[in-house]
Amino acid sequence: MSKYVLRRILQAIPLLLFISIVSFALIKLAPGDPVNSFVTPNMKPEDIERIRVSLGLNEPVYMQYLYWLKNVLSGDLGYSLVNHRPVSTLIMERIPATLGLMGSALLLSLIIAIPLGLISAAKKNRLVDRIFSLLSYIGISIPGFWFAMMLIYLFAIELQWLPSMGMRTIGKDSVLDIIKHGILPCTVLCLMQVSVYMRYIRSNTISQLEEDYVQIQYAYGSTRGTVLVRHVLKNVLLPIITILGMSLSELIAGAFITETVFTWPGMGSLGITAIFGLDYPVIMGITMITSLFLVIGNLIADLLYGVVDPRIKTAR
C-alpha cells in the first residue's frame, strides 16, 4: 500500500506542474494590469515603471513563471498585490472556513442521499420514486447562485430566521452562531450533490436488487429493508466513493460561488476578490492549493476502494 501511495504522489507532481503552467499562462493572457492598482494621479511614468520592475512584471512571462516556481519550491507563495501580506498566510486563514463548509455539505449530502436513493430504488416506478426523481432533476437543474438568492430572500429577509452573510455575528463567538450562519450556504452546496448522489445510488441499487445473492436472501426470509441495509448497501458504496472523488471539483467550484454570495470568509471569496483585483500571486496560490486538494481527495477515494472491496487491495 505504501508503494502505491508513493507512486500516486509521484504521478501527481507532473500534473500539478502542468496545472501551474496553464494557470499562469491564462492569468497573463487575461486583460488588465495589476500595476494600475498602485497608480495615483500624481505619479510620473518612471514611477510607474519602477513599480513594474519591483513587482517583476518587466521580465518575460516565462521568466516570471520560473521565478514563481522557484519561490514555491522553497515554500514561498509570494505576497498579495492587494493586501500586501504573504499569500500563504491569507490562504491558511481562509482554509478552515472553506473546509468546514465543504465537509459539512459533503457529510450532509451523503446522510440525505443514501437513504433517499435506497428508498427510491426499492419503490421503483412508484409514486415515491417519481417524486424523488423529479426533485433530483430539479436539484441538478437549479443554478446555485439563484438558489442562494432565493434562500436569502425567504429565510433572511422575509422570515428573518437565519443570517444572510458572514460566518459570525459581531459580538458573538459561539458554535451555535457559526452553525446558524452556515445553514444557508451549506444547503446551497448540498442541493446539487444530493441530487447527483441520489441518482447514482438509485441506479446502482436497482442493478444490485436483480443479482442472485439478493434473491437468496429473500429465500432465507430476509425483509427488503434488511437486504438493502446489510447486503446491497455494501456493494453500492464503491460507486459512491467514485462519485465522491469525481464531484470534489464541482464542490470546490460551488464553494467559490456560494462563499461569494454569502460573503463566507473562505478561499472562494478570497479567490473571487483576487480575480477582480488582478492579484496574481493569490490567484496562483489558491489554484495550486485547490488542485492539491483534488489530488489528495482522489487519492483518499482510491484508498477507500480497498477498504470497501478487499479484492481491489489484494490486486494492488
Side-chain angles (χ1 to χ4, degrees):
M1 181 62 71
S2 59
K3 293 182 179 180
Y4 172 77
V5 174
L6 179 61
R7 185 168 66 250
R8 286 296 303 271
I9 293 174
L10 293 177
Q11 292 173 353
I13 293 176
L15 175 62
L16 293 174
L17 183 63
F18 175 76
I19 292 174
S20 68
I21 294 174
V22 173
S23 301
F24 199 90
L26 291 176
I27 290 174
K28 293 300 180 180
L29 291 174
D33 188 353
V35 177
N36 293 333
S37 60
F38 297 89
V39 175
T40 61
N42 297 327
M43 278 189 176
K44 298 179 180 180
E46 53 268 23
D47 296 327
I48 298 175
E49 185 62 25
R50 192 179 300 111
I51 294 174
R52 189 179 301 277
V53 173
S54 66
L55 296 177
L57 299 177
N58 61 318
E59 300 284 348
V61 174
Y62 71 93
M63 289 301 299
Q64 294 181 36
Y65 172 76
L66 292 177
Y67 289 146
W68 174 86
L69 182 61
K70 178 184 176 181
N71 292 331
V72 169
L73 293 178
S74 62
D76 181 13
L77 295 178
Y79 277 77
S80 170
L81 302 180
V82 176
N83 298 300
H84 309 291
R85 297 177 61 196
V87 175
S88 57
T89 302
L90 291 173
I91 293 178
M92 291 304 296
E93 290 175 353
R94 302 295 187 105
I95 282 180
T98 298
L99 292 182
L101 181 61
M102 290 176 53
S104 301
L106 188 60
L107 180 61
L108 187 60
S109 299
L110 291 175
I111 292 175
I112 296 175
I114 290 177
L116 291 184
L118 293 175
I119 294 173
S120 183
K123 305 292 184 180
K124 179 183 177 182
N125 295 329
R126 297 183 185 178
L127 180 60
V128 174
D129 180 34
R130 293 177 180 177
I131 292 175
F132 287 166
S133 298
L134 176 61
L135 293 177
S136 66
Y137 287 132
I138 294 175
I140 295 173
S141 304
I142 291 179
F145 68 91
W146 179 86
F147 185 55
M149 293 296 184
M150 293 299 101
L151 290 181
I152 291 175
Y153 176 78
L154 178 60
F155 293 101
I157 298 177
E158 289 293 327
L159 299 177
Q160 297 183 358
W161 289 353
L162 298 169
S164 62
M165 61 180 62
M167 185 176 173
R168 291 182 174 89
T169 303
I170 298 176
K172 293 183 179 180
D173 189 13
S174 63
V175 177
L176 181 60
D177 184 61
I178 296 177
I179 293 175
K180 288 178 62 178
H181 281 80
I183 289 176
L184 293 183
C186 186
T187 302
V188 174
L189 283 179
C190 281
L191 178 65
M192 180 174 289
Q193 303 302 319
V194 168
S195 303
V196 173
Y197 297 162
M198 187 172 68
R199 296 300 302 169
Y200 274 93
I201 293 170
R202 176 187 179 275
S203 61
N204 282 282
T205 302
I206 290 175
S207 63
Q208 289 296 321
L209 289 175
E210 298 174 355
E211 296 292 334
D212 293 337
Y213 75 89
V214 174
Q215 304 304 321
I216 293 174
Q217 293 300 322
Y218 285 149
Y220 286 156
S222 299
T223 62
R224 170 156 292 193
T226 302
V227 172
L228 286 173
V229 175
R230 293 186 179 181
H231 304 283
V232 174
L233 182 58
K234 291 189 296 183
N235 294 319
V236 175
L237 283 178
L238 192 60
I240 294 176
I241 295 173
T242 304
I243 298 305
L244 286 178
M246 295 172 58
S247 64
L248 283 177
S249 59
E250 298 177 359
L251 191 61
I252 292 176
F256 270 61
I257 299 174
T258 304
E259 288 182 2
T260 304
V261 174
F262 291 98
T263 61
W264 187 265
M267 288 199 304
S269 57
L270 177 65
I272 296 298
T273 303
I275 291 172
F276 283 108
L278 300 177
D279 198 346
Y280 296 162
V282 175
I283 297 173
M284 285 300 301
I286 291 178
T287 300
M288 299 313 300
I289 292 297
T290 52
S291 300
L292 185 61
F293 281 169
L294 291 176
V295 171
I296 295 175
N298 282 278
L299 176 60
I300 293 175
D302 287 345
L303 295 178
L304 288 176
Y305 293 158
V307 176
V308 177
D309 192 344
R311 293 172 299 178
I312 298 177
K313 185 176 180 180
T314 303
R316 288 173 180 168

